[in-house]
Amino acid sequence: MDRFRMIFQYFQSNSESVMNGICGLLALASVKMYTSFDFSCPCLPQYNMAYGLGIMFVPPIILFLCGLILNRQSLVMLEEWRRPSGRRKKDLAVIRYMCSSIMQRAMVAPVIWIIVTLLDGKCLICAFSGSMDPEKFVGFANVSTVQAQQLLAKVPCKDEELMSNSTSRKAVSRYLRCWSQALGWSILLILIIATFLARWLRPCFNQATLLQARHWSNYIDIEQKIFEEACCEHSRLFAHKCILHFFESMRQEIKLHSFSLPREREWAEGEEDLLRGITDQDQVNKLLKTWYCEKPPLDVS
Amino acid sequence: MDKFRMIFQFFQSNQESFMNGICGIMALASTQMYSAFDFNCPCLPHYNLAYGLGILLVPPFILFLLGFVLNNNISMLAEEWRRPQGQRGKDPAVLRYMFCSMAQRAMIAPAVWVSVTLLDGKCITCAFCTSVPVESLGNASHPRLSQGEIERVLARIPCKDIYNGQQLIANEVAVRYLRCISQALGWCFVLLMTTLAFLVRSLRPCFSQAAFLKSRYWSHYIDIERRLFDETCAEHARSFAKVCIQQFFEGMSTDLVTARCHLPRKAPADAGEAAEKLLGITDQGTMNMALKSWHRCKPPLHLHPPALPTGNGWAGEGQPPTYPSAPRRETAAYYSWV
């Protein structure tokens, strides 16, 4: 329990950590989405490439946009970018730093989708089976071009009666899958090397500027959160005062209308405060009606 | 349990987070509902379209309305919209903000349902199986059939076990084609929704940030004010009830003393708190009397100050007191017969 609470608090305490958490969740969601998606190649000459490449590139765009939407810092950055200068100048380095950190985090889930897709191979097999050279494969060499195209388009569909046990189909499938996986691993390797170099070489360039930019971007984020909390606190106090004023003004009004002489009332201390002079069904009804029909002005001076 | 409490507290602390939580739960519920639903295409020419499109469009509408119903703020919005102006002006920007934020949250579960339905493909396959292009996808050598016959055969595509049109068009080919179209539509729909959400979120700081901050503050204020008012009224009701019941028991005690027609015996000086709490009712018969009286003749909603035995009511607005004190005397008289 304690461990869970500590983890929770750790993530909450630092906004960047929250962002990293969301980034990780989106990456997991991306893998889950791919495994639960029922890939179904149309196996028709004109449609294969559109379907295959569509499945490979459209969900990453969606995941990228989701990464931007779910990241609170992107709003903070936009506000900082668009605000009037006023009495505080804008530092473009800070905005650039925030932008690059947001983009980096948003790119993780799309990249993971693309890599998983390539390593699995179904998309590439579907998209490029029709572009294979029929001469290279025994089963497709002796048929007319149009028929070869049709047969090649049916390669991704294992359950086609014509193709289920054909060795040529398996050959095309293996060939494309090999290319797909090679591409997937290469992209992964390049990205990891690039990330490694970027992190390792960064201190060599402009470390001081980087520290400043990071500090001020954290500051802007914290300042905004504290401002929102202060507004909440203020509206709570404002509402409290407003309601007390309202009850007080109802009490005055009742005193004004009452014709009996003011008597010494010996209520208990606590009850006097809580009853606030409203001691009758009609008075309570009047109070509730006035609350609805004539809300008090937003002025507690 | 502690874990739940912490998560619960986190969501409750911020009203918007709470609404986001409900929104996420509804989205999950929507996926769960779809997987639990047993889709059953009728495989008849005119019914397929109605069934397929019905399953695609009716549950999202229900989920949208449910999103509004489950949102506490809907009554707050309605109240703010319909209240008389009084001494406090109404700001349409605040109302618009509240409505937009509620509508955005309510749109998520229906969008999830439509996406899941399209990506799965069964609905579109069922609805549009009669529109499959037989000329391009079908077998070249198929028997000549009338339009009606073709439609009837094609309508059976989703039901593999009764499909009898393999010569016309292979079942797998048709299903794959329709599913491909359905999934393409699904991904396009998701892309469109995500792009819209992105544009709405990112264009706002560029255009109307100050107005947005104002609307957000005042909409939170209205919510907090309503909750504080409810809490204050609850406190008031508690004190009112306490004093009312106390006065009821005191009245009973006074009546008993009057009915017994003897001087009240002074309680011993050291009886203490317990004797005070007994409020003069010290035997079974008296207690039964008090309970019966509480049921038959509840005291008026009018607290008189403790110094005077009975209240005269206040002459506010010229209304006479609605509950005369006569019934109490009747009760005392009845008791004296016993």
Side-chain angles (χ1 to χ4, degrees):
Chain A
M1 246 5 288
D2 230 353
R3 191 174 57 178
F4 184 79
R5 196 180 315 154
M6 262 177 49
I7 294 173
F8 203 59
Q9 274 177 348
Y10 171 74
F11 272 115
Q12 274 238 284
S13 61
N14 187 357
S15 177
E16 272 203 25
S17 305
V18 171
M19 296 305 130
N20 288 344
I22 292 197
C23 177
L25 278 174
L26 261 185
L28 284 174
S30 150
V31 174
K32 185 80 177 98
M33 250 167 66
Y34 184 78
T35 45
S36 54
F37 176 64
D38 191 10
F39 188 88
S40 164
C41 192
C43 293
L44 298 164
Q46 302 90 9
Y47 292 77
N48 275 6
M49 178 152 306
Y51 186 84
L53 293 181
I55 298 296
M56 200 151 101
F57 292 118
V58 168
I61 298 177
I62 292 170
L63 288 165
F64 181 71
L65 291 175
C66 275
L68 292 178
I69 290 170
L70 292 176
N71 195 339
R72 218 184 121 262
Q73 244 193 356
S74 56
L75 273 182
V76 171
M77 182 206 79
L78 275 173
E79 277 172 35
E80 177 64 16
W81 183 37
R82 299 298 302 174
R83 71 172 170 89
S85 277
R87 291 177 8 188
R88 185 193 285 189
K89 350 194 270 295
K90 286 196 265 199
D91 187 357
L92 283 177
V94 172
I95 296 176
R96 268 198 308 265
Y97 172 85
M98 284 167 86
C99 193
S100 78
S101 99
I102 291 165
M103 291 287 171
Q104 282 167 30
R105 287 195 178 92
M107 292 281 281
V108 172
V111 163
I112 288 191
W113 174 279
I114 291 179
I115 290 178
V116 168
T117 308
L118 287 173
L119 292 179
D120 191 32
K122 289 191 287 221
C123 271
L124 236 64
I125 296 176
C126 184
F128 293 107
S129 68
S131 322
M132 288 285 101
D133 184 5
E135 304 301 322
K136 287 202 185 135
F137 300 95
V138 171
F140 305 111
N142 300 329
V143 292
S144 69
T145 323
V146 171
Q147 225 178 355
Q149 280 295 312
Q150 296 262 347
L151 287 175
L152 282 170
K154 288 197 197 319
V155 161
C157 299
K158 296 196 182 67
D159 51 354
E160 271 284 314
E161 308 133 11
L162 300 167
M163 307 283 296
S164 47
N165 278 329
S166 159
T167 43
S168 318
R169 184 196 71 78
K170 287 184 191 158
V172 173
S173 187
R174 270 200 311 266
Y175 178 79
L176 284 168
R177 185 174 251 153
C178 156
W179 268 106
S180 172
Q181 289 180 343
L183 201 57
W185 285 117
S186 312
I187 290 179
L188 188 58
L189 183 65
I190 291 172
L191 281 175
I192 295 215
I193 291 178
T195 313
F196 172 75
L197 286 175
R199 269 182 94 96
W200 200 43
L201 295 177
R202 199 171 53 184
C204 305
F205 303 98
N206 284 337
Q207 181 67 351
T209 320
L210 181 72
L211 286 176
Q212 281 174 6
R214 192 165 67 179
H215 176 268
W216 289 114
S217 84
N218 272 345
Y219 171 80
I220 291 170
D221 192 30
I222 290 173
E223 190 188 50
Q224 177 155 106
K225 268 197 278 191
I226 292 182
F227 179 74
E228 281 172 18
E229 278 174 31
C231 281
C232 268
E233 195 50 45
H234 183 269
S235 54
R236 175 174 277 277
L237 290 172
F238 197 114
H240 191 56
K241 274 250 146 72
C242 200
I243 289 170
L244 286 180
H245 274 215
F246 175 73
F247 272 89
E248 195 48 48
S249 71
M250 288 304 301
R251 191 201 288 222
Q252 308 281 3
E253 216 177 287
I254 286 163
K255 269 202 194 136
L256 227 58
H257 283 134
S258 164
F259 293 122
S260 47
L261 295 166
R263 286 186 286 252
E264 274 308 307
R265 292 175 183 238
E266 292 166 19
W267 303 100
E269 267 289 318
E271 266 132 31
E272 169 67 68
D273 289 336
L274 291 172
L275 284 172
R276 301 173 212 278
I278 316 277
T279 51
D280 194 299
Q281 185 184 23
D282 293 329
Q283 291 171 6
V284 172
N285 286 343
K286 183 171 183 344
L287 180 138
L288 292 172
K289 187 163 167 215
T290 313
W291 178 255
Y292 175 69
C293 291
E294 286 179 29
K295 278 216 162 60
L298 291 168
D299 181 7
V300 296
S301 45
Chain B
M1 264 340 293
D2 218 2
K3 189 165 65 171
F4 277 118
R5 199 181 324 140
M6 259 180 56
I7 294 177
F8 196 62
Q9 271 176 352
F10 169 71
F11 277 118
Q12 276 242 288
S13 62
N14 188 355
Q15 176 78 336
E16 278 204 19
S17 299
F18 184 65
M19 285 300 125
N20 289 345
I22 298 246
C23 187
I25 289 176
M26 277 197 59
L28 283 174
S30 154
T31 341
Q32 199 50 35
M33 250 169 69
Y34 183 77
S35 40
F37 175 65
D38 188 16
F39 189 88
N40 218 332
C41 193
C43 293
L44 297 164
H46 301 290
Y47 290 74
N48 277 4
L49 187 68
Y51 185 85
L53 290 184
I55 299 295
L56 182 64
L57 298 173
V58 169
F61 184 66
I62 294 172
L63 288 167
F64 183 68
L65 290 179
L66 203 60
F68 272 107
V69 162
L70 290 179
N71 196 335
N72 294 341
N73 294 345
I74 187 81
S75 56
M76 185 174 86
L77 171 65
E79 202 185 298
E80 179 64 16
W81 183 36
R82 298 300 301 168
R83 71 170 170 91
Q85 193 124 343
Q87 298 175 36
R88 185 191 287 188
K90 282 200 265 197
D91 188 358
V94 173
L95 293 169
R96 264 196 314 264
Y97 170 82
M98 283 160 69
F99 181 72
C100 283
S101 86
M102 272 192 265
Q104 280 169 22
R105 286 194 178 91
M107 292 270 282
I108 291 188
V112 168
W113 175 279
V114 171
S115 320
V116 169
T117 308
L118 288 174
L119 291 176
D120 190 36
K122 289 192 286 226
C123 269
I124 296 287
T125 307
C126 183
F128 295 107
C129 53
T130 47
S131 321
V132 168
V134 183
E135 300 77 26
S136 46
L137 300 177
N139 297 330
S141 57
H142 62 85
R144 296 267 134 219
L145 292 167
S146 69
Q147 196 56 32
E149 272 294 317
I150 293 182
E151 253 186 44
R152 263 197 293 277
V153 167
L154 289 177
R156 294 206 190 107
I157 286 174
C159 304
K160 287 192 179 54
D161 38 356
I162 57 168
Y163 184 62
N164 58 351
Q166 285 294 115
Q167 293 93 20
L168 185 60
I169 179 171
N171 189 290
E172 300 81 25
V173 171
V175 165
R176 272 199 307 261
Y177 173 80
L178 288 164
R179 197 178 225 183
C180 156
I181 303 267
S182 176
Q183 287 179 344
L185 277 175
W187 283 119
C188 290
F189 176 76
V190 177
L191 182 64
L192 184 70
M193 289 285 117
T194 317
T195 310
L196 269 176
F198 174 73
L199 285 175
V200 163
R201 240 176 114 91
S202 55
L203 291 181
R204 201 233 309 132
C206 303
F207 292 107
S208 52
Q209 184 67 356
F212 167 76
L213 286 175
K214 203 173 71 155
S215 308
R216 193 172 65 173
Y217 178 86
W218 289 114
S219 96
H220 283 169
Y221 172 81
I222 290 171
D223 182 37
I224 289 176
E225 190 190 51
R226 189 179 67 141
R227 274 189 282 163
L228 272 180
F229 184 75
D230 286 343
E231 275 173 32
T232 315
C233 283
E235 263 174 32
H236 184 272
R238 175 182 279 279
S239 303
F240 197 113
K242 197 161 146 195
V243 174
C244 196
I245 290 169
Q246 211 168 349
Q247 288 180 354
F248 169 73
F249 273 102
E250 277 166 15
M252 288 301 307
S253 178
T254 316
D255 284 342
L256 288 172
V257 161
T258 318
R260 280 194 194 130
C261 302
H262 57 66
L263 294 165
R265 221 173 330 162
K266 280 211 169 57
D270 55 350
E273 221 177 275
E276 269 180 35
K277 284 200 174 145
L278 285 175
L279 302 166
I281 298 177
T282 46
D283 64 273
Q284 188 184 24
T286 321
M287 190 67 220
N288 288 343
M289 210 51 242
L291 293 171
K292 203 193 276 188
S293 175
W294 177 254
H295 171 67
R296 284 229 193 106
C297 177
K298 279 211 162 63
L301 288 167
H302 174 79
L303 307 179
H304 48 261
L308 302 170
T310 52
N312 290 333
W314 59 282
E317 290 174 334
Q319 277 177 13
T322 35
Y323 301 98
S325 52
R328 282 227 234 112
R329 264 185 245 119
E330 272 176 19
T331 313
Y334 167 77
Y335 183 72
S336 74
W337 273 104
V338 176

